[in-house]
């Protein structure tokens, strides 16, 4: 009987986590960091490597959508965008110091991938900051304005000229012990709006 009761409690907790993790955010945002934010921030910051599959869409000077494959290993990253967005596949590989952008027959080496993407392709991603934002964290060593939901998760973030809105979280057992990570988020800067949808989180390889 005691074993059955524990099993029921565990099942109920799992269902609650699933529901809270996959539901769109509701209720008012709060500017003051909740008590649980520090622990969550430390757990997220400890994720040095991850992989994800998802989709990206953009509206602005250039509009379109693309499939996204992202692999992060410590400071090294690889982002592959394939589809109509950017009129062909784009591969961005780099570190915090330098990035290589491959598109069609072009190979560009830059210390500012955000500006290079904008000037060469007409759209951009904040590559150096997105590594943190995609986990639900402000990028370190840069001022940021933040708002939180009732579960101590980022709701809104303004940093480096971008505004990030977190629209939905989902459970991500592949990156335990952090069980809920962003699923849908939107990034805006001026006329450019970029939406990211994460279909699947994976451990880094």
């Amino acid at each position: 009987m005691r074993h059955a009761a524990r099993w029921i409690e565990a099942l109920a907790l799992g269902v609650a986590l699933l529901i809270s993790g996959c539901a769109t955010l509701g209720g008012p945002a709060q500017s003051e960091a909740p008590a649980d934010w520090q622990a969550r921030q430390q757990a997220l910051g400890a994720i040095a490597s991850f992989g994800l599959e998802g989709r990206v869409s953009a509206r602005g000077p250039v509009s379109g959508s693309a499939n996204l494959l992202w692999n992060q290993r410590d400071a090294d990253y690889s982002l592959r965008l394939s589809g109509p967005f950017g009129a062909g596949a784009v591969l961005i590989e780099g570190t915090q110091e330098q990035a290589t952008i491959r598109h069609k027959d072009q190979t560009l080496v830059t210390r500012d991938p955000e500006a290079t993407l904008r000037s060469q392709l007409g759209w951009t991603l904040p590559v150096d900051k997105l590594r943190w934002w995609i986990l639900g964290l402000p990028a370190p060593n840069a001022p940021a304005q933040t708002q939180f939901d009732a579960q101590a998760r980022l709701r809104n973030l303004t940093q480096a000229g971008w505004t990030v809105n977190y629209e939905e979280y989902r459970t991500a057992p592949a990156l335990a012990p952090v069980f809920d990570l962003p699923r849908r988020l939107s990034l805006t800067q001026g006329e450019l709006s970029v939406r990211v949808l994460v279909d699947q989180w994976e451990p880094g390889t």
Side-chain angles (χ1 to χ4, degrees):
M1 181 69 68
R2 182 177 300 175
H3 177 76
R6 289 178 178 175
W7 183 87
I8 292 172
E9 290 177 0
L11 179 62
L13 177 59
V15 171
L17 285 171
L18 181 63
I19 293 173
S20 63
C22 292
T24 54
L25 303 183
Q30 54 188 68
S31 298
E32 185 175 351
D36 295 339
W37 168 243
Q38 185 174 2
R40 179 176 176 84
Q41 190 175 24
Q42 290 176 349
L44 291 170
I47 301 175
S49 301
F50 62 83
L52 67 81
E53 298 180 14
R55 288 160 282 170
V56 178
S57 62
R59 295 179 62 186
V62 173
S63 299
S65 61
N67 295 321
L68 169 65
L69 289 176
W70 183 344
N71 187 63
Q72 183 81 34
R73 187 183 180 98
D74 297 321
D76 298 338
Y77 61 84
S78 172
L79 283 77
R80 179 179 292 275
L81 294 157
S82 58
F85 184 49
V90 179
L91 177 63
I92 309 169
E93 298 177 309
T95 65
Q96 293 178 344
E97 290 76 28
Q98 183 173 283
T100 300
I101 302 171
R102 295 182 174 88
H103 175 245
K104 294 184 177 179
D105 57 351
Q106 289 184 320
T107 299
L108 307 170
V109 179
T110 176
R111 293 183 178 273
D112 190 347
E114 183 176 339
T116 301
L117 287 169
R118 189 187 301 275
S119 64
Q120 296 295 319
L121 303 180
W123 55 266
T124 192
L125 287 173
V127 177
D128 57 337
K129 303 292 190 299
L130 193 58
R131 177 256 184 276
W132 305 99
W133 296 348
I134 199 72
L135 292 172
L137 279 173
N141 304 321
Q145 296 179 333
T146 53
Q147 290 186 316
F148 303 87
D149 67 8
Q151 285 75 46
R153 304 174 301 197
L154 276 184
R155 177 78 171 269
N156 302 299
L157 168 68
T158 301
Q159 190 174 34
W162 289 84
T163 298
V164 184
N165 294 312
Y166 292 87
E167 301 171 0
E168 185 179 346
Y169 285 79
R170 70 177 296 176
T171 55
L175 295 180
V178 181
F179 291 103
D180 54 340
L181 291 172
R183 181 173 185 266
R184 285 193 298 147
L185 57 155
S186 61
L187 302 83
T188 57
Q189 184 187 67
E191 297 180 353
L192 178 62
S193 175
V194 179
R195 296 175 65 87
V196 181
L197 173 65
V198 179
D199 292 316
Q200 182 174 336
W201 286 96
E202 300 173 349
T205 58

